[in-house]
């Protein structure tokens, strides 16, 4: 005889032993307990307001739900695998506490719209947590930018030193990047904020429920308009995972730079003891494990997105148990992202910058060659392509003589480009190059400080 009293009336035999291990989701969906209780309270109040259940039943249900919530919070609740999921576990305990009244709670509701509602509430909270984590990381980056607006470092293209930039400017590039990530989570939260509750199994219900009331009580903007879509849609989970995957990818870029910068070959930054580890055999090592793990977890989050996309791509309307696979993917990605953001914010906040090493690296590779070409255009009135060619030839001569551009004798430059005068040396220093980039969004320290002021205000 089937032992599950919640749904077993149609069945004479119980599930196969392998099914008892295969189908339960309580091991992971118990994380939805708070949302499930929240939804049940709102649903019960609406049923009572509509005269579908009595006020006495409502009181018993709410009292029972309070006790269930307390038991879960205090670790006293016994989660039973035989009851499959969080919904039946809570309902079963509610029956023990509230008696027959508890059996009326599921009126005009199915596990299909129940889980869809719970999951939307959970993902909505996850979006908010991601936004908060990103904001904390942005604040840490702005703090480093403020301390290093004048710190010169090499800007790279193709991993070759290209032009001198401010380290503060480099930090602010990530602030912009993570702002777009915040926007994606905000957009995802806005789009998912519609309520499935009341769609029942797939077709709605014959009971006179008020879906507007339940939607508003749960903080949704409105009920979902189509009951089939309400129970089957998981694009909100995919959108969260997509935003998480992009954010994790951006985190990976920053983590990769930190790994590179703290290596002895670069020596640009030093990570604190709190975010590095030692070697089991090499006593001199300071390994950037935290940054490496952040970089590694980006693949995990991307994998979660791909896994759920593969699950849902072939499903027909309305509900299929395939959708049980959605929660583990989202939970895993959310955990990885939340931890990565917290670690990265801490790492960035207390890293130490080696300005001397950065400046020395910025000198190499003739980073002011573009400034030389620009001077020939601006002062000598040369066409840019001609100026570019002359500057390249001057760099080649400096390379041959093993001299920096600002140390190359004037006569050597004039052999290649007679229009060069002593005035050119004013633009060939790193600081002059940096200060000259005054275009909007440029790396000039004055512009960087403008950006810092903007972000400090925005991130309040």
């Amino acid at each position: 005889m089937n032992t599950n009293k919640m749904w077993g009336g149609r069945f004479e035999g119980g599930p196969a032993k392998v099914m008892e291990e295969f189908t339960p989701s309580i091991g992971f969906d118990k994380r939805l307990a708070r949302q499930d209780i929240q939804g049940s309270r709102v649903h019960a109040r609406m049923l009572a307001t509509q005269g579908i259940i009595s006020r006495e039943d409502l009181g018993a249900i709410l009292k029972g739900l309070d006790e269930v919530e307390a038991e879960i919070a205090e670790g006293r609740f016994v989660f039973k695998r035989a009851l499959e999921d969080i919904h039946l576990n809570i309902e079963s305990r509610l029956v023990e506490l509230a008696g027959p009244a508890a059996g009326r709670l599921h009126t005009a509701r199915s596990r299909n719209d129940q889980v869809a509602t719970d999951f939307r509430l959970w993902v909505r909270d996850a979006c908010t947590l991601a936004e908060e984590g990103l904001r904390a990381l942005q604040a840490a980056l702005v703090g480093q930018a403020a301390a290093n607006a004048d710190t010169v470092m090499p800007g790279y293209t193709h991993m070759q030193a290209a032009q001198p930039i401010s380290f503060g400017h480099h930090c602010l590039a990530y602030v912009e990047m993570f702002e777009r990530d915040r926007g994606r989570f905000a957009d995802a939260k806005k789009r998912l904020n519609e309520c499935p509750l009341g769609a029942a199994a797939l077709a709605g219900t014959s009971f006179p429920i008020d879906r507007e009331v339940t939607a508003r009580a749960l903080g949704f903007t409105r009920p979902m308009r189509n009951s089939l879509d309400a129970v089957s849609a998981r694009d909100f989970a995919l959108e969260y995972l997509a935003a998480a995957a992009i954010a994790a990818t951006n985190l990976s870029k920053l983590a990769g730079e930190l790994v590179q910068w703290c290596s002895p070959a670069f020596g640009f930054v030093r990570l604190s003891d709190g975010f590095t580890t030692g070697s089991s055999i090499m006593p001199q090592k300071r390994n950037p494990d935290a940054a490496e793990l952040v970089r590694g977890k980006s693949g995990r989050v991307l994998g979660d997105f791909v896994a759920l996309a593969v699950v849902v791509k072939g499903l027909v309307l309305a509900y299929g148990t395939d959708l049980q696979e959605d929660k583990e993917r989202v939970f895993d990605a959310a955990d990885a992202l939340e931890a990565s953001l917290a670690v990265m914010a801490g790492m960035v906040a207390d890293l130490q910058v080696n300005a001397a090493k950065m400046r020395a690296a910025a000198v190499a590779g003739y980073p002011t060659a573009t400034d030389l070409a620009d001077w020939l255009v601006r002062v000598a009135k040369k066409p840019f392509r001609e100026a570019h060619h002359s500057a390249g030839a001057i760099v080649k001569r400096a390379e041959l003589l093993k001299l920096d551009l600002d140390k190359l004798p004037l006569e050597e430059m004039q052999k290649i480009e007679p229009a060069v005068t002593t005035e050119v040396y004013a633009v060939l220093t790193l600081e002059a190059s940096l200060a000259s980039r005054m275009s909007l969004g440029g790396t000039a320290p004055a512009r960087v400080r403008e950006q810092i002021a903007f972000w400090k205000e925005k991130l309040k």
Side-chain angles (χ1 to χ4, degrees):
M1 179 68 73
N2 190 286
T3 57
N4 195 319
K5 296 180 180 179
M6 300 297 172
W7 55 260
R10 170 68 176 79
F11 295 79
E12 294 182 1
K17 187 67 177 175
V18 68
M19 282 285 282
E20 292 178 0
E21 294 302 316
F22 189 60
T23 59
S25 58
I26 187 59
F28 52 85
D29 70 14
K30 60 186 177 184
R31 292 180 66 162
L32 298 175
R34 181 173 63 83
Q35 290 78 15
D36 197 71
I37 292 170
Q38 182 184 7
S40 290
R41 285 189 179 118
V42 167
H43 184 67
R45 290 190 182 104
M46 180 275 296
L47 291 177
T49 299
Q50 296 299 106
I52 299 170
I53 65 173
S54 68
R55 286 287 167 184
E56 291 74 21
D57 285 343
L58 173 63
I61 290 168
L62 294 179
K63 183 179 179 182
L65 288 172
D66 287 345
E67 176 59 26
V68 170
E69 185 175 54
E71 289 178 1
I72 292 173
E74 296 164 11
R76 295 184 287 113
F77 190 91
V78 179
F79 294 99
K80 298 176 182 177
R81 191 170 178 81
L83 291 171
E84 299 177 4
D85 58 32
I86 187 61
H87 321 296
L88 296 188
N89 267 265
I90 288 176
E91 186 174 345
S92 176
R93 179 62 178 142
L94 188 62
V95 168
E96 294 172 356
L97 294 168
R104 298 186 175 92
L105 173 60
H106 210 55
T107 306
R109 186 175 73 171
S110 163
R111 275 193 293 177
N112 294 357
D113 63 335
Q114 189 176 358
V115 69
T117 303
D118 293 355
F119 199 28
R120 279 181 185 261
L121 289 170
W122 197 97
V123 174
R124 189 174 71 186
D125 290 343
C127 287
T128 299
L129 285 174
E131 289 181 76
E132 291 171 353
L134 286 161
R135 183 189 293 270
L137 175 53
Q138 288 176 294
L141 286 161
V142 170
Q144 286 291 352
N148 292 282
D150 295 293
T151 301
V152 184
M153 71 174 289
Y156 296 95
T157 60
H158 309 281
M159 269 311 296
Q160 305 293 310
Q163 292 179 325
I165 62 170
S166 155
F167 180 62
H169 190 61
H170 196 106
C171 290
L172 291 174
Y174 281 105
V175 175
E176 297 283 348
M177 200 181 300
F178 294 132
E179 181 67 13
R180 293 191 293 274
D181 287 325
R182 277 209 304 151
R184 275 182 278 272
F185 285 110
D187 288 346
K189 184 165 62 175
K190 182 178 179 180
R191 254 185 298 280
L192 71 78
N193 205 32
E194 300 174 351
C195 187
L197 193 59
L202 78 162
T205 177
S206 59
F207 289 94
I209 61 173
D210 189 334
R211 294 190 61 212
E212 293 284 352
V213 164
T214 51
R216 285 196 302 272
L218 291 170
F220 291 107
T221 54
R222 65 174 178 83
M224 295 185 74
R225 282 185 287 260
N226 184 284
S227 59
L228 285 169
D229 181 49
V231 299
S232 61
R234 291 298 184 274
D235 51 1
F236 70 92
L238 278 175
E239 188 167 7
Y240 170 80
L241 287 174
I246 296 171
T249 300
N250 289 336
L251 283 171
S252 181
K253 292 171 68 174
L254 177 54
E257 292 209 296
L258 289 176
V259 170
Q260 188 178 72
W261 290 344
C262 72
S263 69
F266 279 77
F268 288 1
V269 302
R270 180 182 176 87
L271 300 179
S272 71
D273 291 352
F275 295 98
T276 54
T277 63
S279 165
S280 62
I281 190 172
M282 295 168 284
Q284 82 281 12
K285 295 292 291 298
R286 288 175 59 85
N287 297 325
D289 282 10
E292 290 171 340
L293 280 170
V294 169
R295 187 172 60 182
K297 287 183 185 296
S298 63
R300 181 173 183 159
V301 177
L302 179 59
D304 288 325
F305 169 75
V306 172
L308 184 56
V310 171
V311 168
V312 302
K313 73 176 181 62
L315 297 185
V316 297
L317 295 176
Y319 184 84
T321 309
D322 315 54
L323 294 177
Q324 187 169 293
E325 290 295 308
D326 57 4
K327 285 166 281 299
E328 282 188 286
R329 302 282 62 80
V330 170
F331 293 161
D332 182 72
D335 289 346
L337 181 63
E338 185 177 350
S340 295
L341 286 168
V343 164
M344 187 63 81
M347 232 182 331
V348 168
D350 71 355
L351 66 80
Q352 295 177 347
V353 174
N354 189 329
K357 279 271 193 176
M358 285 187 175
R359 194 183 194 288
V363 170
Y366 304 96
T368 58
T370 303
D371 299 276
L372 171 57
D374 288 347
W375 184 90
L376 289 170
V377 171
R378 187 172 57 252
V379 178
K381 308 302 181 184
K382 300 287 184 179
F384 182 78
R385 287 302 168 200
E386 183 181 331
H388 184 284
H389 180 81
S390 296
I394 291 171
V395 166
K396 186 176 180 180
R397 183 62 180 165
E399 206 169 28
L400 183 67
L401 297 175
K402 295 183 172 54
L403 294 171
D404 294 332
L405 272 182
D406 62 336
K407 301 295 189 296
L408 186 66
L410 181 62
E411 57 267 24
E412 292 292 341
M413 294 192 200
Q414 289 176 333
K415 287 177 185 177
I416 297 164
E417 177 49 75
V420 176
T421 69
T422 55
E423 294 176 17
V424 77
Y425 290 103
V427 304
L428 296 183
T429 65
L430 296 180
E431 286 72 20
S433 175
L434 207 64
S436 71
R437 308 294 182 208
M438 280 294 292
S439 58
L440 180 64
T443 191
R447 283 298 196 186
V448 171
R449 290 188 177 90
E450 288 175 2
Q451 294 176 50
I452 291 166
F454 168 82
W455 282 110
K456 282 184 174 179
E457 182 64 28
K458 187 174 179 65
L459 294 174
K460 277 183 178 177

